[in-house]
Amino acid sequence: VFKFSEGTAQKEYNYVVKVLSRKPDIEVIDSSAAQAAPGQVIELSLKIRNVGSGLARDILVGMEEDRTVTSTGVVVEREFSALGASFDFVKGLGPGKETNATISLAVNPEAEQKTYTVPIKLKYKDSNGTPYSETTYIGIQVNQEPELDAVISEVEPPAFPGSISELTIDLFNVG
């Protein structure tokens, strides 16, 4: 209620004030890579959307750490590491808007062939400068097709026309 008076005259106005939460909320909604081979470098394109109701600005999307140190001091390397810049920067993203962020990942050559959940860190600010940070996960399957090769390693007795020889063939996977 708003009251206004001037001398003996008074006026009263009723106003409805609607208070909205203007908080941004950034989510990863799609990823380009689903498979990678051990030792491969992949360009990971992530589609992000602001599912909140406020402007998100100074958005950083990427991997934060590439290893963990246990309580006993042992360093555990992750199967995926960021190459180049660990984060991609997006200046701003309005409510309901989408954009892409790209990061380069290297797969550890010693990685087991299985599906991994890769942590993706999202950092951003609202229009007041309040920082937000969250971690989401995407799945990447590490696998590689076998690549077989063979070489003749031994011929006994030495081969000549009309003879019978025994061949020893070494078969191996170079994949």
Side-chain angles (χ1 to χ4, degrees):
V1 175
F2 175 73
K3 291 183 182 181
F4 174 76
S5 64
E6 187 175 308
T8 59
Q10 290 188 0
K11 289 217 177 218
E12 190 174 295
Y13 297 98
N14 289 327
Y15 289 97
V16 176
V17 178
K18 191 173 184 181
V19 178
L20 299 173
S21 171
R22 306 297 289 174
K23 179 182 175 229
D25 188 8
I26 303 297
E27 296 284 336
V28 174
I29 60 170
D30 194 17
S31 120
S32 63
Q35 291 187 337
Q40 182 182 9
V41 174
I42 58 173
E43 286 292 318
L44 183 62
S45 179
L46 301 168
K47 185 181 284 189
I48 60 172
R49 177 184 291 159
N50 183 351
V51 297
S53 59
L55 173 70
R57 54 187 188 91
D58 300 337
I59 305 165
L60 293 171
V61 180
M63 289 186 64
E64 195 161 49
E65 295 182 13
D66 59 351
R67 66 177 128 194
T68 303
V69 180
T70 65
S71 60
T72 59
V74 176
V75 176
V76 179
E77 298 290 335
R78 296 195 190 269
E79 301 304 338
F80 293 86
S81 300
L83 288 180
S86 296
F87 286 87
D88 193 5
F89 176 77
V90 177
K91 182 148 181 72
L93 194 60
K97 302 293 183 187
E98 296 178 0
T99 192
N100 288 325
T102 303
I103 56 175
S104 295
L105 296 180
V107 183
N108 186 332
E110 306 299 319
E112 288 183 45
Q113 294 191 29
K114 66 178 189 175
T115 300
Y116 292 90
T117 53
V118 179
I120 302 297
K121 193 75 165 180
L122 302 168
K123 298 178 183 183
Y124 53 95
K125 295 177 184 174
D126 64 13
S127 56
N128 295 326
T130 305
Y132 298 91
S133 178
E134 58 189 75
T135 302
T136 187
Y137 296 88
I138 61 166
I140 297 179
Q141 184 180 29
V142 174
N143 66 9
Q144 186 172 17
E145 293 296 320
E147 190 177 324
L148 300 179
D149 201 356
V151 293
I152 298 172
S153 63
E154 186 178 353
V155 179
E156 279 297 322
F160 60 89
S163 71
I164 297 177
S165 299
E166 185 175 306
L167 299 175
T168 302
I169 299 174
D170 291 338
L171 182 66
F172 52 94
N173 182 359
V174 296

